[in-house]
Amino acid sequence: MDSSRRVDTTMFLGIDIGTGSSKAVLAAADGSIVDRASVTHDVELPHPGWAEFDAEAVWWQEIAVLSRELFSRNDAGSLKGVCVSGMGPCLVVTDDAFTPLRPAILYGVDTRATAEIAELTEEFGPGSIFETCGKDLSSQAVGPKLRWLANHEPEVFARATHWFGLNSYIVAKLTGEYIQDHHSASQCDPLYDVRRLDWHPEHVAAVAGHLATPRLAWSDEVVGTVTAAAADFTGIPAGTPVCAGTVDAWAEAFSAGVQQPGDLMLMYGSTMFLVHILSEPRSHPMLWACSGVTKDTLTLAAGMATSGSLISWLRQLFGDVPINQLLEEAAAVQPGAEGLLVLPYFAGERSPIQDPDARGTVTGLTLRHGRGHLLRAAYEGMAFGVRQILESVEGSGEPVRRLVAVGGGTNAPLWTQIISDITGRTQVVPHQTIGASYGDALMAAIGTGSVPADTVWAQPDHTVEPNPANVEIYDRLFDTYAGLYPAIRDQMHALAAVQRDYS
């Protein structure tokens, strides 16, 4: 928008802090976009298997950078509410002044706590953890990372008084309030009871020890107001209501109107992520049961380890050929990529197999195959993985009634078409696919009572229908695809062990 323009309207600020960038949006009460801003950043990778951020120097600083940019062009006096989401679940430990004592430990991409996962699983019992948390402990869980801190950095753990996720840390900096939203808490396994929607006191005491336990709040709930000190730093007016916020994928699902039981979001990004809204508590060993965004809601979720990141890697191998040219080449290849299959486990895999030692595999390669075949087979491999996940979702007992596709990958028609063809599902693509920051703005509007609680800003743009002509070839290849991983899992694990020797 014109930098000289000043907008005088009721506005809501949503900010999402992602792995590669932070994005902010100002939205009006009708969902129209007033303005937006973004800034990029890099993840710190200090050791193999570690992924960190400086929460104060990056996250908190970027809140100020984005807010000040937007309010240099818009009337801050028209702001009625703020909400922040971010990658997660993350772990930030601080002192009483909310000053971080070490870099933030990121979500499932940080795999340092493998030994602590085993330790806590033995301590509480795998069956008990699954019953309480709705999922097994994994690198996604916060509890093992807290235990890792106690085991490996005991002096830091002893000095810490508070622990946060990304959004709750920003809430504390903005308002002085110590909270955790229910959804983020439900990924702090084994500390939260997903059936009772509350902390599990014995597990909290055993894992978090002396740390104060944060107050729970729903993501669209106002938990405080911006303090004078935070206003001076960020430019957000003092007294502005602040909602709890949540993890980015759930904020994005909310932005896309995925709010009713049977709704499922399929997010096309650097990874594929799925969020399914439930009508009652359900679980599945290959999925993550979690609380939702709004009061008393529940979800099942799944996330693949690579998707868009795999396509970016292939582009680099191909010499950074323009993506449109590669997509044309892949589209010219017949469905099934002439018998080429890719297992997309190039960074291990979360869903549908939950195996960090799985490895990427190209099977059926011949001298006839070119880069168009490889690219198409990569898209098809991701789609076969999505099909496996959807089968697990429906195996939980909650049918998928509506599938909403979001994320930058929806701009690649070949990708979305392959997903529909392989899964047999119609996808609804919203007109507005800004992402989690748009969902944050909607939560701020709802939480402040400025719009009704059932407000949905997202409007459908188009649908992607499966092509019946491709059913036979994809059904045939799916059976082969599903059999590949169990057939070569031991060999994958052996190679993963060799690769660790090179770290």
Side-chain angles (χ1 to χ4, degrees), residues 84-86 165-172 179-181 184 244-247:
V84 176
S85 64
L166 191 164
N167 58 293
S168 61
Y169 168 72
I170 298 301
V171 167
I179 65 99
Q180 184 75 275
D181 72 282
S184 297
T246 193
V247 172

Side-chain angles (χ1 to χ4, degrees), residues 71-424:
F71 294 130
S72 72
R73 301 192 292 261
N74 301 279
D75 176 20
S78 298
L79 185 67
K80 301 303 179 186
V82 179
C83 186
V84 176
S85 64
M87 65 189 114
C90 300
L91 174 63
V92 184
V93 292
T94 77
D95 59 18
D96 284 332
F98 300 149
T99 301
L101 301 179
R102 71 167 327 281
I105 300 174
L106 298 196
Y107 54 101
V109 296
D110 186 297
T111 59
R112 74 183 70 191
T114 302
E116 285 72 24
I117 291 171
E119 181 181 318
L120 290 173
T121 298
E122 182 177 357
E123 186 173 327
F124 299 122
S128 175
I129 290 173
F130 188 81
E131 176 65 24
T132 299
C133 305
K135 49 196 172 298
D136 296 326
L137 292 185
S138 70
S139 64
Q140 191 80 349
V142 169
K145 292 168 184 177
L146 272 169
R147 178 62 64 86
W148 180 93
L149 196 63
N151 287 346
H152 295 271
E153 297 180 4
E155 70 290 347
V156 173
F157 188 73
R159 290 170 53 208
T161 57
H162 297 78
W163 62 282
F164 299 92
L166 191 164
N167 58 293
S168 61
Y169 168 72
I170 298 301
V171 167
K173 298 290 282 186
L174 285 172
T175 69
E177 296 291 330
Y178 182 44
I179 65 99
Q180 184 75 275
D181 72 282
H182 276 274
H183 169 70
S184 297
S186 71
Q187 294 211 51
C188 293
D189 308 314
L191 308 183
Y192 181 91
D193 189 328
V194 76
R195 294 184 180 274
R196 292 178 51 246
L197 302 179
D198 201 357
W199 295 117
H200 190 293
E202 292 82 7
H203 290 183
V204 170
V207 178
H210 66 285
L211 300 175
T213 304
R215 169 171 63 93
L216 288 168
W218 292 96
S219 302
D220 60 349
E221 180 182 339
V222 172
V223 292
T225 59
V226 175
T227 65
D232 184 62
F233 181 74
T234 65
I236 301 172
T240 302
V242 178
C243 290
T246 193
V247 172
D248 50 7
W250 275 256
E252 181 147 12
F254 197 72
S255 79
V258 176
Q259 301 175 18
Q260 300 300 316
D263 288 350
L264 183 142
M265 178 198 73
L266 177 59
M267 182 170 67
Y268 293 70
S270 58
T271 69
M272 300 289 284
F273 206 90
L274 297 88
V275 175
H276 186 48
I277 310 298
L278 299 176
S279 59
E280 60 184 79
R282 300 181 190 277
S283 56
H284 188 283
M286 291 294 105
L287 305 171
W288 307 318
C290 307
S291 298
V293 167
T294 56
K295 185 174 175 60
D296 296 336
T297 55
L298 296 164
T299 63
L300 280 177
M304 301 174 73
T306 62
S307 55
S309 55
L310 174 54
I311 301 305
S312 297
W313 179 77
L314 284 171
R315 281 190 64 201
Q316 291 175 356
L317 286 185
F318 298 153
D320 281 329
V321 177
I323 187 61
N324 287 340
Q325 179 179 339
L326 289 174
L327 287 170
E328 288 179 6
E329 293 178 14
V333 173
Q334 293 183 4
E338 295 188 31
L340 190 63
L341 283 175
V342 170
L343 296 182
Y345 309 151
F346 288 68
E349 187 56 289
R350 298 185 294 176
S351 309
I353 60 172
Q354 308 292 353
D355 184 356
D357 284 342
R359 290 297 180 261
T361 305
V362 181
T363 304
L365 195 61
T366 72
L367 296 178
R368 280 181 50 82
H369 292 112
R371 63 191 184 191
H373 294 85
L374 275 168
L375 188 68
R376 183 176 192 108
Y379 280 128
E380 291 175 345
M382 296 174 214
F384 286 131
V386 171
R387 177 167 166 174
Q388 288 177 306
I389 293 169
L390 291 175
E391 289 182 353
S392 294
V393 168
E394 297 219 310
S396 74
E398 187 82 46
V400 177
R401 297 182 177 87
R402 189 171 70 107
L403 196 160
V404 181
V406 302
T410 60
N411 295 316
L414 176 65
W415 193 357
T416 55
Q417 188 62 57
I418 287 173
I419 292 280
S420 280
D421 288 353
I422 286 178
T423 64

